[in-house]
Amino acid sequence: MSLKRLLGTLLVVCLITWPLLLPSLALAEPAAQGSCAGNVLLNAGFEDGFSDRGAGQVTVANGWNPWYQDGPGQQEGYNRRPEYKPEDANLHTRRRIHSGNFAQKLFTTFGTHNAGLFQQVQVSVGSQLTFSAWVQAWSSQDPNPDKVVAPGNYHITVGIDPNGGTDGTSSNVVWVEPRMEYNTWLHPEVQATAKAGTITVFIRGYNEFRDNFNDSYWDDACLTVVKPTPRTTNTPKATPTRTLTPTPEASPTPTLTRTPMPGGICISVFEDANENGRRDEGEKLVAGAVVAILDSNRMELEKHTTDGLSEPTCLSDLAAGTYYLKRLNPVGYVSTVPDDWGVAVVTGANTSVELGCKFRPVPSATPTASPPPLPTATPTPRPVLRELGHSVYQVSGILLAAFALFILLGLRYLRKLT
């Protein structure tokens, strides 16, 4: 075969097979977690460790909190608390992991659940929020992970509560339209406008039927925050004063260019008497709490111990970006909101962070009082006549014995004489 004919044949083969290669290119490795620019979430890629939350079956990624619908119908297997587990690439391969080595798994066996995770973030009111996550679902009666047999209609979605609530069943949560696909990576995304200084993001999975396997695997969450654009006020132009003498035209005044002011974070810790996560009127500040501020690389910038009087304390001159807070309560206080926070700082504004806690001292053991000693029984005095008779009886008995002895000795003496 000549070289010219060979090249022509190769060209024809390429033109025929090129469309067949496009689907393979579309299934390339998913984007890594670092592709989310401006992400303000803690542990967004689920790589920063897991911890138990009150039960061995609830192991949740650090920085996140579990939520679930508790009933009705639990005895029949409906609306149960799911199990939360880390999906570890070293143990379970990378099949259910979008990037890195870990993902968050939640599931029930022969039961249904309506559950997920949430995380609260401090933002400026009016900020535009965009939240997304990668998720893969599997629902089947067959244990083969490659098969989906009689699935339980497993739905996945993500949501934002612009008011900062932590109830995943609240009507305040803005959800994206649920999707129901299996063994493939989905990327749901939702948008909302912040109505409070604290907002909450949610991930959610729920199923309708009690299949053998009802699992969802979450990875690479992302929350971006765009601050509200400040309104500009038009300054009215001054009305020129008429004069007889023509006024020479004034040279135009050069326009001053404003240098954007840096942003800041203002922190206070308060006693959350109502345990609702926000500071209500009359709730006092707490002294002795330690709050550390970290930059986007988790390097500590400043550590502040509250005095309960001068707060909020502000760290200014911060460039716009993502910062993190870690709080340690004084002895006897427990947190009513998470101790770890992601905070979005915008140019020219301070972001306020109010961290609630409540005083719950550990009760000290109450010493048990020793029972009083039992009173000593006092002998009952005998009547005088009875005592006297008893004494006489004893004396008379002695005298009678002595008299009998005397008689016996006398009789022996008389016998000897006769």
Side-chain angles (χ1 to χ4, degrees), residues 16-369:
I16 294 174
T17 57
W18 173 253
L20 301 177
L21 296 175
L22 291 178
S24 301
L25 295 176
L27 295 176
E29 180 71 17
Q33 59 183 344
S35 61
C36 176
N39 196 355
V40 299
L41 292 175
L42 291 169
N43 199 6
F46 303 95
E47 302 295 319
D48 295 339
F50 292 75
S51 55
D52 292 341
R53 308 299 173 85
Q57 296 80 22
V58 183
T59 305
V60 177
N62 296 332
W64 295 86
N65 295 285
W67 72 272
Y68 55 90
Q69 181 179 336
D70 193 10
Q74 288 179 320
Q75 296 299 323
E76 294 76 29
Y78 295 97
N79 298 313
R80 291 166 46 190
R81 183 203 70 191
E83 294 188 46
Y84 295 80
K85 298 290 183 182
E87 184 72 3
D88 187 346
N90 296 318
L91 300 176
H92 311 117
T93 74
R94 306 185 59 83
R95 178 189 187 95
R96 311 290 189 183
I97 296 175
H98 185 258
S99 72
N101 294 311
F102 292 92
Q104 176 74 64
K105 175 184 179 181
L106 61 96
F107 65 98
T108 50
T109 303
F110 292 114
T112 73
H113 62 262
N114 178 25
L117 303 178
F118 73 85
Q119 185 175 145
Q120 293 178 290
V121 179
Q122 299 278 348
V123 299
S124 300
V125 177
S127 296
Q128 296 300 311
L129 313 168
T130 302
F131 174 59
S132 64
W134 286 94
V135 56
Q136 187 173 148
W138 177 48
S139 181
S140 179
Q141 296 286 30
D142 193 315
N144 186 341
D146 292 320
K147 295 183 178 180
V148 177
V149 178
N153 287 0
Y154 199 102
H155 299 76
I156 58 91
T157 183
V158 296
I160 300 174
D161 187 340
N163 297 295
T166 58
D167 181 5
T169 64
S170 170
S171 59
N172 292 330
V173 182
V174 180
W175 298 102
V176 71
E177 186 70 22
R179 298 177 63 179
M180 188 174 64
E181 300 176 46
Y182 307 114
N183 285 352
T184 185
W185 284 108
L186 304 176
H187 191 229
E189 180 180 283
V190 65
Q191 295 181 335
T193 302
K195 297 181 180 179
T198 299
I199 62 94
T200 310
V201 296
F202 292 88
I203 61 176
R204 175 189 177 194
Y206 64 97
N207 57 299
E208 300 176 31
F209 304 111
R210 299 172 298 171
D211 277 26
N212 189 4
F213 299 94
N214 287 297
D215 307 356
S216 60
Y217 304 82
W218 300 84
D219 205 354
D220 294 340
C222 176
L223 174 65
T224 57
V225 180
V226 178
K227 67 173 182 175
T229 304
R231 296 181 179 179
T232 56
T233 304
N234 294 325
T235 305
K237 296 180 179 180
T239 305
T241 304
R242 295 182 63 186
T243 58
L244 297 176
T245 305
T247 303
E249 294 182 1
S251 302
T253 303
T255 303
L256 297 177
T257 303
R258 293 186 177 182
T259 302
M261 298 296 292
I265 301 175
C266 296
I267 305 168
S268 60
V269 180
F270 69 97
E271 187 163 352
D272 190 3
N274 297 322
E275 299 190 41
N276 57 9
R278 63 174 181 272
R279 188 181 180 192
D280 298 324
E281 184 176 356
E283 291 180 330
K284 64 179 182 180
L285 296 172
V286 173
V290 179
V291 182
I293 302 178
L294 295 78
D295 63 15
S296 58
N297 296 318
R298 309 299 174 89
M299 301 297 294
E300 185 175 303
L301 299 178
E302 183 173 301
K303 183 178 289 184
H304 171 71
T305 302
T306 62
D307 58 18
L309 299 172
S310 60
E311 283 80 32
T313 298
C314 298
L315 178 61
S316 302
D317 298 328
L318 296 178
T322 303
Y323 296 83
Y324 300 96
L325 302 182
K326 289 185 177 294
R327 180 259 302 262
L328 178 65
N329 288 320
V331 177
Y333 283 86
V334 294
S335 301
T336 58
V337 297
D339 293 325
D340 296 339
W341 288 86
V343 182
V345 172
V346 297
T347 302
N350 286 331
T351 302
S352 296
V353 181
E354 295 180 330
L355 303 175
C357 60
K358 191 167 184 178
F359 185 66
R360 289 180 183 166
V362 178
S364 57
T366 304
T368 305

Side-chain angles (χ1 to χ4, degrees), residues 334-413:
V334 294
S335 301
T336 58
V337 297
D339 293 325
D340 296 339
W341 288 86
V343 182
V345 172
V346 297
T347 302
N350 286 331
T351 302
S352 296
V353 181
E354 295 180 330
L355 303 175
C357 60
K358 191 167 184 178
F359 185 66
R360 289 180 183 166
V362 178
S364 57
T366 304
T368 305
S370 301
L374 296 175
T376 305
T378 304
T380 305
R382 297 178 179 178
V384 176
L385 292 178
R386 183 180 297 177
E387 289 291 337
L388 180 60
H390 183 71
S391 300
V392 172
Y393 174 79
Q394 289 179 335
V395 173
S396 61
I398 296 173
L399 292 176
L400 183 61
F403 182 71
L405 180 61
F406 178 74
I407 292 175
L408 291 174
L409 293 175
L411 290 174
R412 289 182 178 181
Y413 181 74

